[in-house]
Amino acid sequence: MESLQNKKERAVFATKFAAVATTVGSAVGLGNIWRFPYEAGIHGGGAFLICYMAFVFLIGVPVLCSEFIMGRQTRSNIFGAYRKLHPRRPWYLAGYIGILASLLILSFYSVVAGWTIEYFTSSFLGNLDFSDTATGHGQFMEMTTGWRPVIWTIIFLLCNFLILAGGVTKGIERVCNVLMPLLFVILIAFCINSFTMPKFQEGLSFLFRPDFSKITPSVLLGALGQAFFSLSLGLGCMMTYASYFSNNTRLGRTAVTTAMLDSLVAILAGVIIFPAVFSFGISPEAGPTLVFEVLPYIFNQLPGGAMWSSLFFLLLFLASLTSTVSMSEISITYFCEEKKMSRRKALTVSSLIALCGGLLCALSFGPLSTVKLGGMTFFDLFDYCSSNICLPAGGMICSVFTGWYIKRSIIQKQMTDHGKYRFRMIGLLVFCLRYVCPTAIFLIFLNSIGIL
Ligand code: TRP
């Protein structure tokens, strides 16, 4: 995203590979490896997986296409995109949902990313001991419940700040283009290792055998939120990326590839986590801490465990950094372009807001664990409001807008790369954007507040 530093010269990704790699890079992050297993664990495993997959392809892919169309057609951020396409109506107000949600996500995301730094340093220094369940749990609680997470959250936000301020975004993208495939390889290796777990069958059937009676309104809403979160949808993040796509990046194909790779990583994470969950006698319903409680046991069993563990958490840290860099851009562009701040000031303001939110989230597991709003800690509340409400709402607006207000010829032009390729599914895409996506999202909302 080199051009983010210099708005006047809008760069274009040099190759199709770069476009796919960056899009997948934004999508793949803690959402797949940390959030997916914990959401699946809370919501009954197989039942959740099936709803999640259905939403990724029925709602996620069309909405992703619509963000791509708007982004590449207008070559601007979310506010500019809505304004250019419909200057007389305040559709651009949807951008505010994006800013709010991106700051909320940045807050809790930084806390979890902070845990990855803590785990990386502890395993690097050989301090991570998860040889038996009691020590493991105690150690985990010690790491996450006190004031220490505050320090790691600050350190993470500082890394994010420095990358954005130093204009080395391009550098980090390059590093990640090499390291992300490595993360993928490691995930596959751990998956194979999962088959040696004593209760691997139980774990796999938890994930892959859906119990349809478990599909409740909250499972549906959770799966919808996860689909949006994991694909980085609803905030205009993908719209901004698409504004840097070249004119021969095939949008439909890129959307489908992104969705497939992204779900694959989530499923791999599930295959790694659940057999271990059952083998080590941990409850799958542990919530946001699940993955961090389970992974160290897996590493401990492996020869050279500390090395694997450090490598894994380092890669996860880098993966989260690319995601937060893209997330931060949403509020930074807003402050720069709408509030006319300098880029540095915009960066400082959004980092400070994220820091305040981050502190509340970091303390949610310790000193602030008893402070609850609507039965949720700050961490859970931020996650719930942004992922389950703001992202689907933002996606719904984008889908209605593209379906009803963007001329079919523009959609056609974008989906065929100015007529270079054939795209036969335009009717289906428009149908999904007009009717299927908004109705499905709306029904899930109604359902979850108990109206339906
Ligand atoms: N998709 C990323 C993940 O899975 C998180 C993310 C990055 C995101 N940018 C976003 C989520 C924009 C919602 C909106 O970790």
Side-chain angles (χ1 to χ4, degrees):
M1 303 292 288
E2 63 239 68
S3 52
L4 293 170
Q5 266 72 49
N6 186 350
K7 281 274 154 209
K8 286 189 193 89
E9 290 168 30
R10 270 190 101 76
V12 167
F13 290 131
T15 59
K16 278 186 214 171
F17 175 78
V20 175
T22 338
T23 318
V24 174
S26 159
V28 173
L30 291 172
N32 311 59
I33 292 163
W34 156 76
R35 201 174 185 279
F36 172 79
Y38 107 64
E39 284 282 326
I42 299 178
H43 292 124
F48 180 85
L49 178 64
I50 210 157
C51 300
Y52 165 73
M53 291 303 289
F55 293 152
V56 164
F57 289 96
L58 282 178
I59 303 177
V61 172
V63 174
L64 192 51
C65 287
S66 75
E67 286 210 16
F68 282 172
I69 292 170
M70 289 179 65
R72 196 172 65 174
Q73 172 69 25
T74 58
R75 299 229 176 258
S76 42
N77 69 66
I78 181 162
F79 285 92
Y82 279 111
R83 272 215 196 97
K84 280 188 190 167
L85 289 163
H86 207 318
R88 276 168 290 129
R89 289 279 161 79
W91 283 92
Y92 67 89
L93 292 177
Y96 290 106
I97 301 180
I99 291 162
L100 172 72
S102 69
L103 289 170
L104 289 176
I105 295 177
L106 194 55
S107 305
F108 70 81
Y109 207 93
S110 305
V111 174
V112 183
W115 296 347
T116 65
I117 315 180
E118 159 98 58
Y119 271 66
F120 164 68
T121 41
S122 314
S123 32
F124 192 71
L125 299 173
N127 293 338
L128 208 58
D129 173 19
F130 276 70
S131 39
D132 72 86
T133 327
T135 353
H137 187 69
Q139 206 165 251
F140 173 78
M141 295 307 275
E142 190 195 317
M143 283 181 194
T144 51
T145 53
W147 288 85
R148 241 156 78 191
V150 171
I151 301 171
W152 296 117
T153 307
I154 297 175
I155 293 181
F156 180 79
L157 280 169
L158 204 62
C159 295
N160 190 48
F161 179 91
L162 291 177
I163 286 180
L164 286 159
V168 287
T169 325
K170 197 172 163 190
I172 185 116
E173 298 279 342
R174 247 189 228 146
V175 172
C176 287
N177 283 350
V178 180
L179 290 181
M180 288 307 106
L182 185 60
L183 180 64
F184 196 69
V185 173
I186 290 194
L187 285 176
I188 292 183
F190 287 159
C191 259
I192 297 170
N193 175 57
S194 258
F195 287 82
T196 63
M197 295 276 164
K199 296 218 169 142
F200 97 96
Q201 234 161 359
E202 213 172 307
L204 288 194
S205 52
F206 177 78
L207 185 61
F208 291 114
R209 213 169 275 157
D211 172 357
F212 290 100
S213 67
K214 285 203 179 135
I215 301 185
T216 59
S218 83
V219 171
L220 288 172
L221 185 67
L224 181 72
Q226 176 61 20
F228 274 86
F229 188 93
S230 197
L231 289 173
S232 310
L233 284 181
L235 306 187
C237 197
M238 288 303 193
M239 220 181 266
T240 317
Y241 273 115
S243 71
Y244 301 104
F245 284 179
S246 76
N247 276 337
N248 48 23
T249 303
R250 301 179 67 168
L251 300 187
R253 200 174 267 192
T254 309
V256 174
T257 315
T258 307
M260 286 203 303
L261 286 175
D262 189 60
S263 338
L264 182 63
V265 175
I267 291 174
L268 289 180
V271 173
I272 295 170
I273 298 298
F274 289 111
V277 162
F278 288 98
S279 306
F280 295 112
I282 297 165
S283 161
E285 292 175 22
T289 57
L290 180 73
V291 172
F292 287 84
E293 290 206 49
V294 176
L295 277 174
Y297 291 111
I298 305 180
F299 298 131
N300 259 11
Q301 286 209 322
L302 293 172
M307 184 212 60
W308 285 109
S309 176
S310 337
L311 182 62
F312 182 82
F313 285 112
L314 179 67
L315 293 177
L316 199 51
F317 161 70
L318 289 172
S320 12
L321 209 47
T322 45
S323 295
T324 51
V325 162
S326 75
M327 237 178 261
S328 316
E329 280 299 341
I330 301 170
S331 47
I332 296 175
T333 22
Y334 165 74
F335 288 126
C336 273
E337 291 173 8
E338 307 287 315
K339 297 280 164 207
K340 305 288 177 244
M341 288 184 191
S342 68
R343 191 181 155 82
R344 189 157 283 254
K345 191 163 171 211
L347 172 58
T348 313
V349 171
S350 27
S351 300
L352 286 178
I353 300 175
L355 181 64
C356 297
L359 293 184
L360 292 177
C361 294
L363 295 174
S364 288
F365 294 88
L368 291 183
S369 59
T370 49
V371 182
K372 295 197 173 168
L373 295 169
M376 288 184 257
T377 60
F378 284 112
F379 184 100
D380 294 334
L381 187 71
F382 283 17
D383 187 353
Y384 185 87
C385 290
S386 53
S387 315
N388 291 4
I389 299 171
C390 296
L391 301 186
M396 184 160 103
I397 296 172
C398 181
S399 142
V400 170
F401 184 80
T402 312
W404 293 93
Y405 291 95
I406 297 185
K407 282 197 208 98
R408 205 178 253 243
S409 58
I410 291 181
I411 299 180
Q412 177 89 28
K413 187 178 85 185
Q414 288 301 337
M415 295 308 291
T416 58
D417 287 355
H418 298 257
K420 270 194 228 90
Y421 304 102
R422 281 212 282 181
F423 181 73
R424 290 205 203 85
M425 283 182 287
I426 188 143
L428 182 65
L429 177 65
V430 173
F431 181 77
C432 282
L433 291 175
R434 281 193 171 183
Y435 306 103
V436 181
C437 302
T439 320
I441 297 171
F442 192 62
L443 291 181
I444 293 168
F445 273 153
L446 288 188
N447 196 351
S448 69
I449 50 175
I451 292 184
L452 207 71

